[in-house]
Each structure stands twice: as C-alpha cells, then as structure tokens.
Amino acid sequence: MALVADIGGTNARFALSLGGQLQSDSVQVLACNDYENLDHAVSHYLTLQQVAVDHACMAFACPVSSQTIKMTNNHWAFNKSEMKDTLKLRSFKVINDFTAQALALPALPENALIKVGNGEAIEGATKLIIGPGTGLGVAALKKVGDHWLPLPGEGGHAAFSPISSMDNEILSILQKKLGYVSWESVLCGSGIELLYEAHSTLSGQTQILKNHEITAQAMSGEALCKQTLLHFCELLGRAASNAALTAGAQGGVYIAGGIIPRFPDFFAQSDFRASFEINDKMVNYLAAIPTQLIIHDNPGLTGACEALGNPLIH
C-alpha cells in the first residue's frame, strides 16, 4: 500500500495505490486552504482511511526540480527531505502534475478515451500529451526498455504560429495587448477570453465575457462565441500538430486538461483534426497519428501510481 496525490492550487486529491494500481474507492479531495501544509492534509487523509504507508508519490502543479517545493497558487511550501522525514516515509517521489498526466497514458482504459479522427498508434512509439486548462501543458512520453520516461517541457510557451488570414488578424490584435503571443496566450481558460475579445474587435464591437460564458453560449449557438470556440479547437489542432512533429509522437497525441471535456461532441465535430493534419510535406505522417481526448476522472493519480514502481522516476 502506498499513498499517491495530485495537488493543484485549489484542491489536493489523495488516494491509495495497491501493487501499483489506483484504489478508486480511496480517492478523496481536500481543499488546500483548509490545511496549514502538506503534512496536515496527509495526516488527515490517512486518519480517515485508517491506514499507514511507507511509500508515496505526489504530483504538484508547480516546479519540482529543487529541494524546496513552493506551490504556485496556494500557500503550501516544504523541503522534500524534511517532509519525507515528517511523514515517516521510506520513499517519497515528487513529480510535476503534467509528468503524472503523461505517465498515465499507457495505463488509461479505452473507455477513458474518445478518438477524434483516424490514425493508429505505433506500438512503443513516443506519445504526446497536450492540455489546455489554467495554462497549457505539453509533455512527451518515450519507451525506454520496459518503462516509460516522461519528457516534460514548456511547449505551451512556444510562439503562436498563424496560418490563415484570420489567424494573422487575431495575432495582430493580441500583439498590441500582450507583445509576445504564445500558444498558452490563446489555449487556456483566460486564452478563450482573449480570443473572444479579439474576435469581437474584428466584428466591430469589443466585448468581454468569462470563458465559461463563452463555452455555454457557443453550445447554445450564439454566433460570435461559436466562432471563437471553433477557432480555439482549430488552434489546438495546430499546436498539437507542431508538438507531435517535434516529438515524433507516432504513439499518439492525447488531449488533457479541464476545458475540452466540457464539450467533447463540439470538439469532435470541429476543425481540430483537419487543422492537425495540415502541412506541406508531412500530411501522411500526421494523418497516421491518432488523436484522443482523455475523459478520465483521475489521470494525475493514475500517473502517480505508475511513477511509484518506475525506476526512471526519482
């Protein structure tokens, strides 16, 4: 029995792993603001579960390379070695939240995926995960022997690349507002809002809406919101295509994050896949790569379970 966690700015998801398998009935979500620090939340969770553990793997939505972990969007902060001692653990793996999402890919059941478009994965080939949420996460996963090695990066901050005349007009508006425009500038929650504002400016009257209002109105058929969301899906296809070409992701591209699962049918019928396949010389290469939407409840916890027994993850 081991402890796994997926900890974001607002909530901390805890669960137990038995033999590397997530025990879904043990999943519990705790509000980070209710606890002084990580150890208090862990203690409360283990008391509720009436168990003790010697091993843990936790995924955090912040940089994890140094000894000191400081959450980006809440007050939790700790030293890895000191926390390991405080929690009386024999092993304590600390990974990035998107690393956990990447590690989950080979373990996800088929019913946790919605395939968009054609293509078949090459067995053992590099996989790619891209996820618009609060920001835009991008990571790859490469097979090394019998294990998977996550290749985290900051692909969300790569430069936005326009193709159509509309892209160029939107980019011009965003450059005046932001200066440098990255993929994350448009492919995240606040990015939908910026994209809508830019589209409304092009239509002659600048308007501002929250991202959940834009998606809700797009679903009900409001023209400008629908145009914005369709463009969002198209741009995500291009960002995913660029990353897939760079990583050689012939093992498949997976869409994660909290935004797209809110409108899976709309997404599947959008130009995401057509945009993904647009290229001058690599059309056949891209057409062969499958793209799938993740609709799993706890991919971060699943990935943390995978990391526990993976000797490539320290």
Side-chain angles (χ1 to χ4, degrees):
M1 190 77 77
L3 175 67
V4 291
D6 183 11
I7 299 170
T10 304
N11 294 317
R13 292 174 181 267
F14 292 100
L16 298 172
S17 172
L18 184 59
Q21 296 296 310
L22 178 67
Q23 305 301 292
S24 55
D25 59 348
S26 72
V27 176
Q28 195 147 7
V29 182
L30 304 181
C32 296
N33 280 342
D34 290 347
Y35 301 90
E36 186 178 331
N37 209 341
L38 173 65
D39 52 320
H40 295 83
V42 169
S43 178
H44 185 204
Y45 172 77
L46 293 176
T47 299
L48 291 172
Q49 293 292 322
Q50 297 182 313
V51 297
V53 295
D54 294 324
H55 305 279
C57 178
M58 302 188 199
F60 294 88
C62 65
V64 298
S65 56
S66 69
Q67 265 296 312
T68 301
I69 301 296
K70 188 176 189 321
M71 294 298 296
T72 305
N73 292 311
N74 70 42
H75 62 282
W76 288 6
F78 60 90
N79 176 281
K80 290 181 193 175
S81 298
E82 292 173 3
M83 185 58 70
K84 179 183 175 184
D85 292 340
T86 299
L87 297 176
K88 298 181 172 60
L89 295 170
R90 288 167 57 194
S91 71
F92 181 32
K93 291 187 177 185
V94 174
I95 61 177
N96 176 263
D97 62 330
F98 225 74
T99 296
Q101 298 253 352
L103 284 166
L105 297 181
L108 292 175
E110 281 192 21
N111 64 4
L113 301 166
I114 298 175
K115 191 172 182 181
V116 180
N118 297 316
E120 293 298 328
I122 295 175
E123 185 73 26
T126 299
K127 299 176 184 291
L128 181 91
I129 183 168
I130 181 167
T134 304
L136 178 67
V138 183
L141 195 67
K142 182 172 180 59
K143 194 76 178 283
V144 179
D146 294 330
H147 301 284
W148 288 93
L149 175 68
L151 305 172
E154 293 295 344
H157 298 283
F160 172 82
S161 57
I163 288 181
S164 68
S165 57
M166 179 189 287
D167 293 342
N168 282 308
E169 289 178 300
I170 295 293
L171 176 59
S172 178
I173 292 169
L174 293 177
Q175 281 176 324
K176 289 172 187 171
K177 191 180 184 77
L178 304 175
Y180 179 82
V181 180
S182 69
W183 281 118
E184 187 174 273
S185 301
V186 293
L187 295 178
C188 66
S190 61
I192 292 177
E193 296 167 7
L194 281 174
L195 207 54
Y196 175 78
E197 186 180 340
H199 274 276
S200 70
T201 299
L202 283 179
S203 72
Q205 187 175 0
T206 301
Q207 299 177 59
I208 296 173
L209 287 177
K210 293 295 185 185
N211 80 76
H212 65 275
E213 296 172 323
I214 297 163
T215 54
Q217 290 187 38
M219 294 306 102
S220 64
E222 197 282 319
L224 193 59
C225 290
K226 186 175 180 181
Q227 178 182 309
T228 300
L229 203 58
L230 284 171
H231 195 202
F232 179 90
C233 295
E234 182 185 331
L235 292 174
L236 180 58
R238 186 161 333 123
S241 178
N242 286 356
L245 288 168
T246 301
Q250 294 179 291
V253 171
Y254 298 78
I255 310 300
I259 293 177
I260 304 297
R262 301 205 305 252
F263 45 89
D265 293 337
F266 182 96
F267 177 70
Q269 292 165 19
S270 74
D271 283 339
F272 163 81
R273 182 67 198 194
S275 178
F276 179 82
E277 294 182 13
I278 290 174
N279 199 271
D280 58 345
K281 299 177 180 177
M282 290 289 138
V283 173
N284 291 340
Y285 183 94
L286 290 164
I289 297 175
T291 50
Q292 301 188 82
L293 171 61
I294 299 171
I295 53 169
H296 193 277
D297 287 337
N298 295 298
L301 292 175
T302 299
C305 289
E306 293 296 307
L308 277 166
N310 187 330
L312 303 177
I313 311 298
H314 300 290

